Amino acid sequence: MRAVVQRVDGASVVVAGETVGEITGEGLCVLVGVTHEDTPEKAAQLARKLWSVRVLEGEKSCSDVNAPLLVISQFTLYGDARKGRRPTWNAAAPGPVAEPLVDEVVARLRALGAHVETGRFGADMRVSLTNHGPFTVLLDV
């Protein structure tokens, strides 16, 4: 699994004009990509890392300050544009494999005590955020 993690001062995701997920104040906006070999165990590992990684102000984690997370599925994180002019998506897991694993990340975060908002899997989403720093990190598990 792969995640692009951004420290934010608020973030939201809109689908067809409706806000489906929103966090306010300090937190993390997390784009999650799933590949073919990923498992529920990797989803749990990613959730633990997201909850405990010390990237917030003052080297704090979401668990330290009870900061919210906005988790959004993004298959394009496994796009490959090394050849030609058009990326391929062969490394991205198909929806029936990816969706339950993204849901597992969210469920595991919530089980850890996190407040988690989400996008809508497979939808055409508009993501807005204020990146604080700017601070962006890539996590692979």
Side-chain angles (χ1 to χ4, degrees):
M1 297 189 94
R2 179 172 290 161
V4 173
V5 181
Q6 297 181 79
R7 179 174 67 194
V8 299
D9 282 327
S12 65
V13 61
V14 173
V15 175
E18 172 194 358
T19 300
V20 297
E22 182 174 28
I23 61 173
T24 58
E26 182 178 49
L28 297 179
C29 182
V30 182
L31 307 175
V32 177
V34 179
T35 192
H36 301 280
E37 299 81 29
D38 288 333
T39 63
E41 292 75 25
K42 285 192 175 187
Q45 181 183 1
L46 179 59
R48 287 190 304 273
K49 180 63 111 175
L50 291 169
W51 188 230
S52 64
V53 67
R54 296 168 55 179
V55 296
L56 298 178
E57 192 74 31
E59 293 188 10
K60 303 285 186 184
S61 68
C62 286
S63 65
D64 291 334
V65 296
N66 202 29
L69 300 95
L70 176 60
V71 176
I72 302 164
S73 172
Q74 189 169 354
F75 78 94
T76 62
L77 294 182
Y78 280 102
D80 183 354
R82 290 178 288 184
K83 292 184 179 181
R85 297 182 306 153
R86 185 178 305 153
T88 64
W89 315 111
N90 296 337
V97 173
E99 185 173 11
L101 290 173
V102 173
D103 289 346
E104 183 70 15
V105 171
V106 171
R108 294 296 184 115
L109 279 165
R110 289 179 175 151
L112 291 167
H115 172 81
V116 182
E117 296 282 325
T118 65
R120 187 171 293 153
F121 190 91
D124 180 19
M125 296 178 271
R126 302 291 188 262
V127 180
S128 299
L129 58 93
T130 301
N131 190 316
H132 177 191
F135 192 100
T136 304
V137 66
L138 179 65
L139 298 177
D140 281 303
V141 296

